[in-house]
Amino acid sequence: EWGLLTEALNDRIANPEASPEEKRSLRLKLAEVAASHAGAPDDAVTAYRELIEANPNDEAAVGALDRLLRSQPERKDDLRWLFKLRIDRAPSAADAVGLLSEWAQLEEDFFEEPTRAAAVYKDLLDRNPQHAPSLKALARIYLAQGNADGAVQMLERERDIEEGVGRIQREQEIARLYLGPLKEPKKALEAARRALELAPTDPKTMAIVEELLPVAETRKDAAVVLEHQYQVANQFDKQGQIIAIVLATANSKADRLP
């Protein structure tokens, strides 16, 4: 039955009396039959691509091919081709950014290809450097790949466009990376200090500073920060312990109490 319909459609397309618009409509129907009824998805993809290459603004063909390719994960390259085409002809910069974001998420979550996803996120950020979801995604990808330095760079860019709780959280994440894999405790303390300026006595930030207390490079400065924060929080027992550390680590006898 579908074979007869396909034959009839091809005959009509070949008819010189058929108008260009009729032929386009028939090719679209032919691709639909191949995809949904004739069990020939490869033929459908080829037909849709030919329609789109002839007219990149053919929304019906673009939409149909998009749906077909998403149902066939093995057709990754065809879907990438379609995304590139849609981005190139996007009516505005915002539309292009939206498509890039969708494409990057598809690469990361559906295709499970984080390196390709990162490349798309970078392209997006070239167009919109303050796109927070892309900065967050790149930080996540870099961290999973063991690139803590790259992750920090993305987190710092995201922090600079954040406010309130979001900014505090980014500083905490930055501090954790400097404290852990990057092994730069002084930068970790700087990030923690910035977080405390926004939210004094925040327990997560205080925990970071407390972890920096035993580290030789940051022992004195961490003690000074903690002493002040414990005073603000009325934690006088802890404040007393920290004062002892401050005095013990004073630079000279003149800095110490008699």
Side-chain angles (χ1 to χ4, degrees):
E1 177 184 352
W2 296 113
L4 292 175
L5 177 58
T6 298
E7 185 178 345
L9 290 170
N10 280 320
D11 287 344
R12 183 57 186 169
I13 291 170
N15 190 323
E17 294 182 2
S19 68
E21 181 55 32
E22 182 185 2
K23 289 184 178 182
R24 173 203 162 274
S25 179
L26 291 169
R27 287 192 177 96
L28 197 59
K29 182 64 178 177
L30 189 62
E32 179 186 342
V33 169
S36 303
H37 306 292
D42 290 348
D43 292 344
V45 170
T46 299
Y48 283 132
R49 285 192 63 154
E50 288 175 352
L51 283 166
I52 295 167
E53 286 168 349
N55 178 13
N57 295 314
D58 191 331
E59 294 294 344
V62 168
L65 181 57
D66 183 77
R67 291 189 294 274
L68 175 59
L69 293 175
R70 286 176 189 265
S71 70
Q72 298 186 336
E74 70 278 5
R75 304 302 294 255
K76 296 178 184 179
D77 288 338
D78 287 309
L79 190 52
R80 289 171 181 137
W81 171 86
L82 184 59
F83 265 110
K84 289 177 183 177
L85 181 141
R86 293 172 67 196
I87 290 163
D88 288 342
R89 69 178 186 85
S92 69
D95 289 322
V97 165
L99 288 166
L100 282 163
S101 179
E102 184 182 353
W103 181 8
Q105 291 175 54
L106 194 73
E107 292 284 3
E108 184 179 5
D109 300 329
F110 191 58
F111 294 161
E112 296 183 344
E113 297 204 27
T115 301
R116 284 184 177 271
V120 180
Y121 281 126
K122 288 178 184 177
D123 189 0
L124 190 160
L125 288 169
D126 286 340
R127 300 167 188 250
N128 182 359
Q130 295 189 328
H131 192 263
S134 294
L135 293 169
K136 189 184 299 292
L138 269 179
R140 179 178 63 249
I141 291 171
Y142 285 151
L143 196 56
Q145 294 176 335
N147 182 4
D149 186 61
V152 160
Q153 291 179 36
M154 294 303 108
L155 289 171
E156 288 174 341
R157 287 175 60 179
E158 187 187 356
R159 172 204 62 197
D160 291 344
I161 60 175
E162 290 272 15
E163 295 180 355
V165 174
R167 192 178 183 93
I168 294 166
Q169 291 174 340
R170 297 299 84 73
E171 292 289 18
Q172 291 169 343
E173 292 166 2
I174 290 165
R176 283 290 175 195
L177 287 177
Y178 278 127
L179 178 60
L182 293 175
K183 301 187 185 307
E184 295 191 50
K186 289 184 178 180
K187 289 186 177 180
L189 184 57
E190 290 171 7
R193 275 176 164 162
R194 291 191 296 267
L196 288 170
E197 289 174 2
L198 297 171
T201 72
D202 179 275
K204 290 184 178 180
T205 311
M206 291 288 286
I208 293 170
V209 181
E210 287 170 351
E211 288 181 46
L212 288 162
L213 194 59
V215 180
E217 291 178 63
T218 53
R219 181 175 175 83
K220 177 183 176 181
D221 291 336
V224 171
V225 172
L226 287 172
E227 190 276 327
H228 173 72
Q229 296 300 327
Y230 287 147
Q231 181 180 25
V232 172
N234 295 323
Q235 294 180 283
F236 300 118
D237 289 345
K238 287 188 174 182
Q239 183 188 13
Q241 296 171 16
I242 295 300
I243 288 175
I245 294 175
V246 173
L247 295 176
T249 55
N251 289 329
S252 67
K253 293 182 179 180
D255 295 325
R256 303 179 186 179
L257 293 177

